[in-house]
Amino acid sequence: MSISDRYRQLIDQIENDVDRLYENLPDTTAKALRLVDMAVEEMQDMAESVGEIPQIQLEHKLSPVLLKAHEKLDRARVMLEEAGHKNAGGNIWELEQMIYRLLNDL
């Protein structure tokens, strides 16, 4: 699977997971979930154009976006875990790992 396909798939996965989190978590976690939304929004800005980026420039263009998204996900995970939502934090951790794997493949 190409980097651009994996990037888009990652966006879809985060969107699906955050939708489930909104359904299952109390309103007190809204700040953490907003961070996840912000991570997706940053990634979506490049979703359309990622397939047009030449292979040699992918690392340069995608790494900053992925690192920012990872930072927001990490902050959300910590907030959820501190609020006692370990399962939700674990779910976010898996998303972070997907970002790491994509970064490593760049």
Side-chain angles (χ1 to χ4, degrees):
M1 184 180 296
S2 72
I3 295 291
S4 58
D5 289 338
R6 288 177 55 200
Y7 184 83
R8 289 185 193 108
Q9 184 180 33
L10 179 58
I11 293 171
D12 291 341
Q13 181 69 44
I14 295 172
E15 286 177 332
N16 290 335
D17 286 0
V18 77
D19 287 345
R20 273 186 265 130
L21 291 173
Y22 270 112
E23 292 171 4
N24 297 323
L25 292 174
D27 291 340
T28 57
T29 61
K31 187 174 180 180
L33 296 179
R34 180 64 189 129
L35 286 170
V36 179
D37 284 336
M38 290 169 59
V40 171
E41 289 169 9
E42 286 184 12
M43 292 177 68
Q44 283 176 333
D45 290 342
M46 301 251 341
E48 293 297 320
S49 63
V50 70
E52 299 168 6
I53 299 171
Q55 183 70 31
I56 197 161
Q57 294 179 358
L58 273 175
E59 180 179 4
H60 175 71
K61 301 259 185 185
L62 289 184
S63 291
V65 174
L66 290 170
L67 289 170
K68 285 179 186 177
H70 181 274
E71 177 210 353
K72 286 182 175 36
L73 290 174
D74 196 50
R75 287 179 32 211
R77 178 185 58 81
V78 168
M79 292 171 74
L80 290 170
E81 288 177 351
E82 286 176 350
H85 303 287
K86 300 286 186 207
N87 288 339
N91 189 16
I92 300 291
W93 175 253
E94 290 299 321
L95 297 172
E96 289 180 73
Q97 294 306 304
M98 291 173 69
I99 289 176
Y100 270 136
R101 286 189 288 274
L102 186 56
L103 279 165
N104 285 334
D105 289 345
L106 286 176

